[in-house]
Amino acid sequence: MKRFGIWAASAAVALSAVATSAHAIEPFRSMRTLTSSNGRGAIIYDRTTYRITQFLEHAYRYPEKGVESRNFAFDSYPGIRVGGTGAWLANSAPTRIEYVNGTGIVHTERTVSGVQVDEYHFAPMSLGENASIMLVKVKRLSGSGAIDAYGLFNYHLGSGSPVAGADGEQALYVSSRDAVYEWGPSGKAFAYGSIGTSTHHAVSPGSIYDALNSGANLGDSNDTGGAKFDVAAGFQTALGDLAVNQEAWAGWYTVYDAGADAQAAADRVRTWLAGRSPGAVYAGEVADWAAWHKALPTGLSTEEAEVAKQSLAVLRMAQVTEPGAPNGQMLASLAPGRWNIAWVRDMSYAVVALIRTGHYAEAKAAIEFQMKGQTGEFQSYVGSPYRISVVRYYGNGVEESDSNEDGPNVEFDGFGLFLWQLEEYVRASGDTSLLTTHWPKASTEIADVLVKLQEPNGLIAADSSIWEVHWNGKQRHFAYTTITAANGLCRAAELAKKAGDAALETKYRDAGIRARDAILSQLRAPDLTIAQSTEGLAQKSKFLDASAVEAMNFGLIYPTRKTARATLASFKKGLVPPTGRG
């Protein structure tokens, strides 16, 4: 199955016009979740049930072969009591559900009993923990009566994977840290704590949910008294009888510890909080995101700039910051999109986007991840030792491919795409130390691999490529693979020049030119359209493929001359639906 990665999805974000053609399909929301991630894990807000429903063990889907990242959250959400009337916010629809633009902060807004309630959820970017923050800001619009904010944390730490069960859970409230520790058969532990001093707390089994619904205080229970089924934790913060237009904040954190040391995890979060109020924690997160947005393309309208900032925020959230082997990888999607996996192709476009917007440290981390990955399982298909995965990676940096009755996917386009990343980074950042470190392997196990895969006519050997057609006769001489190789080999020539190797510079540039020329000599239809593959061209049907546009985007084909004009005209005639959109 083909999937849409980050680089493809970003284009969809910008589509806002409603088609009016008789053939139009009304726009609809296909994703019903909002994700926040700091690269250590991910939380997922369900916009149909108005609550956090996932807290993932890792940002990536598969830590290693046969193992899937677990979801520990059943649900988590805040509540509010005004006077004697209490309500969990998950039971009332917000009037607004959104990201705070340009950030990973999920924001909802609603009015309850004359009080405007703004709710915020995010994985804090500056905290090096798999953690999340839940904040509530209240503003009195009318009426009177004391206001209390509540937070409910129903996490499952029992056995089972990838969804942990609720069996055998235990919890303990520790007053010195104003936190609840929870653990269970999973061998993992969580801490939930108040940002600022809580007024009441509770652990269950008990009546956390029912207490607020009846307008009561939480019961200050401290211990589950041994292992129980489906334990939850709750906090209550008194905000006072606010005047009209007066505001107040409450907040809580959740933090996961893989070593089952909830106390240490809570202490690390408390150090990061440094005594800040919930409002200050929110302001700090907004400021962190604002500082991260370094350079946007010039000439954008206000709306375009907002789309660009949010698209970049998604890229930032999709990079794994977990230390060790997983660090630096770029995921093809955020969870829960199934494809929160590091694909070479998707990573390449994401990395170049980071480079072109000034995020060199993040780009470098992604390049380092790929150069350090464990590859070679498909050497019999590639024909020589190689450095970059032929498809994707497990979270631990080990190469992965999928197989079916036609064999594995083996994609050669990643070699050229990686060389593109590397040259863009070195040229833009001026960081020649990365080139010094990795050029020997990049030359012999990436650029040389492409040269060996090049056939006498200049095309790269048949592969699975962008359409992931697998093997055993299904592979083709895809235009996309040769296009990426032509671009990558020319980039390799530039890298060889920087490395002071004139012989390799000539070798790679000549190979790149042969690949570029093969696009014209081997892949053009009689009307000059660049075809998807030589095999499709030979069949004289179904050979249109929009990925051929990269021949123009990479500067291999002049965009104003006959081949480009013919190719774009064929796209418009054969690929654009009756609505004219898409």
Side-chain angles (χ1 to χ4, degrees):
M1 179 186 292
K2 184 61 188 160
R3 82 273 175 255
F4 290 98
I6 290 169
W7 61 273
S10 63
V13 174
L15 297 177
S16 59
V18 177
T20 57
S21 163
H23 300 282
I25 296 174
E26 286 296 315
F28 67 97
R29 190 179 300 280
S30 58
M31 286 297 294
R32 297 175 175 83
T33 57
L34 292 173
T35 303
S36 184
S37 175
N38 62 2
R40 300 293 183 114
I43 59 170
I44 295 168
Y45 180 87
D46 188 324
R47 57 179 300 126
T48 64
T49 62
Y50 320 128
R51 65 193 74 200
I52 296 296
T53 56
Q54 293 191 44
F55 184 112
L56 296 183
E57 185 177 16
H58 302 282
Y60 43 81
R61 186 173 179 185
Y62 297 108
E64 57 185 279
K65 186 175 182 178
V67 178
E68 189 164 354
S69 294
R70 284 171 288 188
N71 171 32
F72 293 111
F74 180 75
D75 60 10
S76 183
Y77 45 87
I80 187 172
R81 186 179 70 184
V82 181
T85 302
W88 292 107
L89 298 186
N91 294 329
S92 63
T95 54
R96 183 189 302 269
I97 303 175
E98 63 182 4
Y99 283 114
V100 176
N101 195 261
T103 78
I105 304 170
V106 178
H107 170 230
T108 75
E109 182 183 303
R110 52 169 70 74
T111 300
V112 180
S113 300
V115 175
Q116 178 180 311
V117 184
D118 289 274
E119 173 185 353
Y120 302 93
H121 299 274
F122 57 90
M125 300 304 294
S126 62
L127 175 60
E129 301 288 335
N130 190 353
S132 66
I133 300 294
M134 178 194 294
L135 302 175
V136 170
K137 182 180 75 170
V138 300
K139 178 181 180 180
R140 168 142 277 149
L141 302 179
S142 62
S144 62
I147 301 174
D148 289 73
Y150 290 66
L152 174 65
F153 304 86
N154 188 0
Y155 281 64
H156 286 177
L157 277 72
S159 56
S161 178
V163 178
D167 54 299
E169 298 176 334
Q170 299 185 64
L172 174 69
Y173 174 75
V174 179
S175 59
S176 62
R177 292 172 175 81
D178 202 7
V180 172
Y181 304 156
E182 184 181 358
W183 64 97
S186 67
K188 312 301 180 183
F190 275 78
Y192 321 104
S194 181
I195 302 174
T197 305
S198 68
T199 308
H200 296 285
H201 63 271
V203 297
S204 68
S207 56
I208 296 173
Y209 185 82
D210 294 338
L212 176 57
N213 284 338
S214 63
N217 293 328
L218 296 183
D220 294 323
S221 53
N222 294 329
D223 194 337
T224 55
K228 297 291 191 298
F229 181 80
D230 201 12
V231 167
F235 293 93
Q236 177 184 346
T237 302
L239 299 177
D241 189 355
L242 304 179
V244 172
N245 292 325
Q246 187 178 0
E247 297 178 349
W249 289 78
W252 309 274
Y253 66 82
T254 299
V255 62
Y256 161 74
D257 190 273
D261 191 345
Q263 176 176 309
D267 286 346
R268 293 192 297 270
V269 176
R270 284 162 58 86
T271 297
W272 173 79
L273 288 169
R276 289 179 294 166
S277 67
V281 171
Y282 171 77
E285 189 70 9
V286 172
D288 178 276
W289 278 101
W292 187 80
H293 288 292
K294 296 180 180 181
L296 294 178
T298 58
L300 299 180
S301 69
T302 299
E303 291 82 2
E304 289 169 337
E306 293 299 283
V307 170
K309 285 169 63 178
Q310 194 58 45
S311 298
L312 284 167
V314 171
L315 290 187
R316 187 186 188 192
M317 290 193 287
Q319 183 162 42
V320 173
T321 58
E322 189 179 322
N327 186 264
Q329 64 188 279
M330 299 291 305
L331 305 176
S333 79
L334 298 177
R338 293 183 59 207
W339 305 118
N340 48 324
I341 301 168
W343 254 269
V344 173
R345 183 163 47 250
D346 302 69
M347 189 156 24
S348 298
Y349 286 89
V351 169
V352 171
L354 289 170
I355 293 166
R356 294 183 182 180
T357 51
H359 299 294
Y360 300 139
E362 292 85 347
K364 183 176 183 177
I367 291 169
E368 293 273 16
F369 167 80
Q370 294 169 88
M371 286 301 298
K372 295 175 181 177
Q374 298 181 39
T375 57
E377 183 177 347
F378 302 94
Q379 185 171 322
S380 62
Y381 295 85
V382 177
S384 57
Y386 60 95
R387 175 60 44 175
I388 300 300
S389 174
V390 297
V391 182
R392 58 197 186 207
Y393 298 90
Y394 293 111
N396 62 3
V398 175
E399 180 179 34
E400 180 201 2
S401 179
D402 58 305
S403 294
N404 62 17
E405 64 276 7
D406 292 315
N409 271 318
V410 179
E411 305 166 17
F412 299 153
D413 54 272
F415 301 136
L417 289 170
F418 178 82
L419 293 168
W420 174 42
Q421 296 175 56
L422 183 59
E423 193 277 331
E424 287 258 347
Y425 172 80
V426 173
R427 176 164 45 84
S429 69
D431 180 7
T432 57
S433 66
L434 187 75
L435 182 63
T436 300
T437 300
H438 294 301
W439 179 242
K441 292 291 186 182
S443 173
T444 59
E445 297 183 9
I446 305 173
D448 282 352
V449 170
L450 273 178
V451 174
K452 292 174 184 175
L453 287 168
Q454 192 169 36
E455 296 180 348
N457 61 12
L459 294 174
I460 301 301
D463 72 331
S464 302
S465 195
I466 194 170
W467 292 113
E468 303 175 3
V469 295
H470 295 273
W471 214 254
N472 296 346
K474 301 293 184 180
Q475 65 268 40
R476 292 185 170 200
H477 291 86
F478 283 100
Y480 183 78
T481 298
T482 293
I483 289 167
T484 57
N487 179 49
L489 286 165
C490 290
R491 303 291 183 134
E494 291 300 311
L495 292 169
K497 182 177 181 180
K498 284 186 171 65
D501 194 324
L504 282 182
E505 179 188 355
T506 299
K507 173 183 176 181
Y508 297 147
R509 197 175 307 281
D510 288 349
I513 290 171
R514 287 198 303 275
R516 188 274 316 273
D517 290 348
I519 299 167
L520 301 176
S521 65
Q522 305 297 318
L523 284 160
R524 284 194 299 181
D527 68 353
L528 303 184
T529 295
I530 300 173
Q532 179 206 58
S533 62
T534 56
E535 291 80 4
L537 189 58
Q539 294 170 6
K540 300 182 180 180
S541 67
K542 297 182 180 180
F543 60 72
L544 290 180
D545 184 349
S547 71
V549 76
E550 294 295 52
M552 283 73 86
N553 290 337
F554 287 147
L556 304 172
I557 303 296
Y558 283 106
T560 58
R561 294 188 181 177
K562 292 181 180 179
T563 298
R565 293 202 306 269
T567 301
L568 294 174
S570 293
F571 289 169
K572 291 177 182 179
K573 181 179 179 180
L575 300 180
V576 176
T579 62
R581 307 189 187 281

